[in-house]
Amino acid sequence: MRKFNSLKYLVWCVLLTTGVELTSCKSKKNTESSAPTTTAPAPDTTTSVAPAPVQISPDDSLQTGVRDATKDYPGVNATVSNGEVTLTGTISREKLPKLMQSLHSLHPKKINNKLTVK
Amino acid sequence: MALQDKYKELIDAAKNAGVSNLQVREQDNVLYINGNAPSGAVKDQLWAIYNKIDPDFRAGDLVLDVNVATVAGAKAKVITESSNLNIRKGPGTDQPIVGKAAHNEIVTILSAANPQWSLIKTDKGEEGYVYTQYLAQQ
């Protein structure tokens, strides 16, 4: 009986000490692993935003604008289709830039210059 | 990027001349340059460079939409070639003519209806819309 009690006591001691050891190890491990790992702050990044798509005027609005722009250029004919303005006819080289400036400000997709420039 | 290289001199000139809200974008093989020029002279300078790079604007690979901001209350000179400038009831050539401003006459800009048309008033008191291209802000 005494032997059994001693054995029981011994087992209990062993269990107690291993438990303590495990706990201490665990806590050690926890301490090591739970130390706050400081990561370097993210650099001041700017997400690249795609530029807004180019605004193209609808054809009916373009047609009105083209009519007004070409009114003072009797030799010039202009057609509008899917945002593209196509110019035919004749114009003097001196007057061409002014006409082009007016047309470009209408937000066309493209200007096809097929004018005969004198 | 090839178009931006082709028109590099123009883009650089726009930046150096103080064009505000400058945007340079390429879409469907056309380069679009948008912005506000500080004066008509700067706008003309940019167009001269454009004409040098692409004589007679044949390539059709650029839309140069750089306009001079209209200042309400500013004076402007009528810069038609020689003829009078029609003053219209509304912003469009389909609108009735309500007056005329003479070549070289100084008028007052009231507002900009859109980049193409400005609401003006003459010294005689005539008020209406004129094609902005025929005005040089003073």
Side-chain angles (χ1 to χ4, degrees):
Chain A
M1 197 61 181
R2 261 194 203 169
K3 272 189 184 173
F4 183 72
N5 284 343
S6 300
L7 183 64
K8 212 166 82 174
Y9 179 71
L10 185 63
V11 168
W12 186 81
C13 281
V14 169
L15 280 172
L16 185 65
T17 47
T18 48
V20 169
E21 277 178 12
L22 281 169
T23 316
S24 63
C25 281
K26 200 175 159 187
S27 64
K28 269 190 195 171
K29 279 183 189 167
N30 278 346
T31 309
E32 280 167 10
S33 62
S34 64
T37 46
T38 49
T39 48
D44 185 20
T45 52
T46 48
T47 16
S48 58
V49 179
V54 177
Q55 237 185 337
I56 309 292
S57 296
D59 277 4
D60 53 357
S61 160
L62 258 183
Q63 262 154 2
T64 305
V66 166
R67 179 201 67 201
D68 290 349
T70 57
K71 186 179 177 295
D72 290 331
Y73 303 89
V76 173
N77 299 307
T79 55
V80 173
S81 178
N82 297 319
E84 293 197 19
V85 179
T86 302
L87 304 169
T88 53
T90 53
I91 193 171
S92 70
R93 185 157 276 118
E94 190 192 23
K95 291 187 177 182
L96 179 60
K98 282 292 176 191
L99 172 62
M100 283 296 181
Q101 285 180 24
S102 298
L103 293 171
H104 280 229
S105 74
L106 298 172
H107 310 299
K109 185 178 180 183
K110 192 181 180 189
I111 306 280
N112 299 310
N113 180 15
K114 296 183 178 177
L115 288 163
T116 301
V117 181
K118 294 182 287 185
Chain B
M1 282 306 287
L3 284 176
Q4 292 198 37
D5 290 336
K6 177 179 175 182
Y7 291 104
K8 185 180 185 303
E9 185 188 344
L10 176 58
I11 295 166
D12 289 346
K15 287 176 186 170
N16 293 333
V19 170
S20 60
N21 305 315
L22 183 63
Q23 282 186 299
V24 180
R25 294 168 287 178
E26 192 171 330
Q27 187 169 294
D28 297 330
N29 299 315
V30 176
L31 187 68
Y32 296 85
I33 299 177
N34 298 83
N36 298 109
S39 68
V42 167
K43 182 178 173 179
D44 288 341
Q45 175 206 357
L46 296 178
W47 274 87
I49 295 171
Y50 176 15
N51 205 358
K52 189 180 84 171
I53 297 171
D54 179 20
D56 292 345
F57 319 105
R58 289 290 182 200
D61 56 5
L62 172 67
V63 174
L64 181 58
D65 184 12
V66 172
N67 295 300
V68 181
T70 305
V71 178
K75 296 290 184 186
K77 188 176 182 180
V78 173
I79 53 168
T80 50
E81 274 191 24
S82 58
S83 59
N84 295 324
L85 178 59
N86 291 327
I87 302 172
R88 297 185 180 267
K89 190 177 180 182
T93 54
D94 57 338
Q95 296 292 306
I97 297 169
V98 296
K100 289 183 189 285
H103 170 66
N104 284 339
E105 184 178 335
I106 303 295
V107 299
T108 304
I109 298 174
L110 299 177
S111 64
N114 54 51
Q116 290 79 41
W117 292 88
S118 297
L119 179 64
I120 59 118
K121 193 172 182 178
T122 67
D123 286 347
K124 285 178 284 184
E126 289 169 310
E127 193 175 308
Y129 294 87
V130 297
Y131 207 56
T132 307
Q133 192 182 66
Y134 295 119
L135 294 178
Q137 250 180 181
Q138 304 295 287

